[in-house]
């Protein structure tokens, strides 16, 4: 039995996988699917239901209050793991890599799936939706997350690189991200290209990154930080459950 456990542990270490991350991803995906299903039975669904359900509306509200911060948090953790394996020194190559992995799929699905669906079923007019809805990402439906995450990656890389050059402790990025989070709960900086959402979710990405970089420290204070972030999000008028 001991030999078997050691073999499994060795295989996991060779693959470089973190079991906790896989578990969080599993439940995160489950919540996203479930939340999008229950959302269709609320007044904010794309198709107005014949009969709304107050129970499903409350369920959707609860799920939407944390499932996107959870996903961005996991993205930050994954990036933290990647940074331990290799260093990103060249912004051009880093931005190019993220553009290939995120923005090319964005435009492919936007133009060949979301656009035909929204226009074909009469939800949006063609040209305004193409330009404002998708190209400017003012109404890109579920693809908003891709634009937002792309911006978050670039912003975090820029802050990390700048702080390193100025010899500022990297944990100070958390203070900047928290400031951006508070700024966004009060003001709209830029509605295009999901910049507003990027400034909001940068906070959760940063927490995820440092949760990996400083495991021992964050293991004790992480629940407090997350709780304060969720409570603060509502107290100062932040992103609401039905935003996306």
């Amino acid at each position: 039995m001991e030999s078997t456990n050691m073999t499994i542990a060795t295989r996991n270490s060779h693959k470089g996988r973190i079991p906790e991350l896989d578990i969080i991803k599993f439940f995160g995906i489950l919540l996203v699917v479930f939340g999008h299903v229950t959302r269709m039975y609320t007044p904010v669904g794309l198709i107005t239901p014949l009969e709304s359900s107050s129970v499903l509306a409350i369920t959707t509200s609860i799920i939407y209050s944390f499932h996107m911060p959870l996903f961005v948090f996991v993205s930050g953790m994954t990036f933290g793991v990647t940074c331990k394996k290799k260093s990103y020194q060249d912004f051009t190559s880093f931005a190019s890599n993220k553009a290939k992995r995120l923005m090319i799929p964005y435009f492919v699905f936007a133009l060949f799936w979301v656009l035909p669906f929204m226009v074909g079923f009469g939800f949006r007019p063609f040209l305004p939706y193409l330009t404002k809805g998708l190209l400017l990402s003012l109404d890109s439906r579920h693809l908003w997350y891709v634009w937002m995450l792309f911006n978050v990656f670039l912003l975090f890389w820029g802050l990390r690189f700048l702080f390193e050059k100025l010899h500022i402790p990297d944990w100070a990025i958390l203070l900047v991200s928290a400031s951006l989070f508070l700024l966004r709960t009060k003001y709209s900086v830029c509605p295009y290209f999901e910049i507003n959402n990027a400034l909001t979710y940068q906070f959760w990405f940063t927490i995820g990154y440092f949760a990996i970089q400083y495991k021992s420290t964050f293991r004790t204070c992480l629940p407090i930080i997350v709780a304060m972030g969720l409570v603060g999000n509502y107290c100062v008028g932040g992103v609401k459950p039905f935003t996306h």
Side-chain angles (χ1 to χ4, degrees):
M1 179 63 69
E2 183 178 354
S3 176
T4 303
N5 291 338
M6 289 180 62
T7 303
I8 294 175
T10 303
R11 288 176 180 175
N12 287 335
S13 63
H14 285 166
K15 293 179 181 179
R17 303 190 68 88
I18 299 177
E20 292 81 1
L21 268 178
D22 292 334
I23 293 173
I24 296 175
K25 289 177 184 177
F26 171 78
F27 284 105
I29 293 172
L30 205 62
L31 286 170
V32 167
V33 174
F34 190 68
H36 278 74
V37 172
T38 59
R39 190 177 192 269
M40 297 306 295
Y41 295 90
T42 67
V44 296
L46 183 62
I47 302 174
T48 304
L50 294 176
E51 184 176 350
S52 299
S53 170
S54 58
V55 174
L56 292 180
I58 293 174
T59 302
T60 306
S61 181
I62 294 173
I63 293 175
Y64 269 63
S65 68
F66 70 91
H67 77 316
M68 282 298 103
L70 176 64
F71 258 106
V72 180
F73 172 80
V74 171
S75 297
M77 291 183 71
T78 305
F79 184 64
V81 173
T82 304
C83 287
K84 284 190 173 185
K85 296 179 180 179
K86 58 183 178 180
S87 177
Y88 292 106
Q89 297 296 331
D90 182 3
F91 176 77
T92 303
S93 61
F94 176 75
S96 176
N97 175 269
K98 294 306 174 186
K100 291 176 183 177
R101 294 172 64 90
L102 294 173
M103 298 316 300
I104 290 179
Y106 171 87
F107 285 110
V108 170
F109 279 96
L111 297 177
F112 296 102
W113 173 253
V114 178
L115 179 64
F117 178 86
M118 297 297 289
V119 174
F121 283 94
F123 294 113
R124 301 288 188 272
F126 175 77
L127 190 57
Y129 186 66
L130 173 63
T131 54
K132 295 182 179 180
L134 297 178
L135 298 183
L136 297 179
S137 194
L138 291 177
D139 182 22
S140 51
R141 313 312 298 174
H142 59 287
L143 295 178
W144 74 273
Y145 182 85
V146 180
W147 249 122
M148 177 275 297
L149 191 60
F150 177 71
N151 291 332
V152 165
F153 271 118
L154 298 189
L155 177 58
F156 186 86
W157 189 98
L159 289 173
R160 184 167 169 262
F161 180 81
L162 177 63
F163 281 29
E164 183 180 337
K165 291 297 182 182
L166 296 176
H167 303 290
I168 300 175
D170 58 356
W171 54 261
I173 299 176
L174 185 59
L175 300 180
V176 175
S177 299
S179 300
L180 294 175
F181 175 83
L182 294 174
L183 173 69
R184 256 299 294 130
T185 57
K186 289 294 185 180
Y187 306 100
S188 174
V189 178
C190 179
Y192 305 109
F193 310 115
E194 301 299 336
I195 291 177
N196 278 336
N197 278 320
L199 295 178
T200 300
Y201 286 101
Q202 176 76 28
F203 175 70
W204 302 107
F205 184 92
T206 305
I207 292 178
Y209 173 84
F210 285 111
I212 288 295
Q213 299 298 319
Y214 303 99
K215 288 182 181 179
S216 58
T217 302
F218 266 75
R219 187 177 290 112
T220 56
C221 64
L222 182 59
I224 299 175
I225 295 175
V226 172
M228 290 177 61
L230 289 174
V231 172
N233 192 38
Y234 283 96
C235 290
V236 296
V239 179
K240 301 302 181 184
F242 292 127
T243 299
H244 293 287

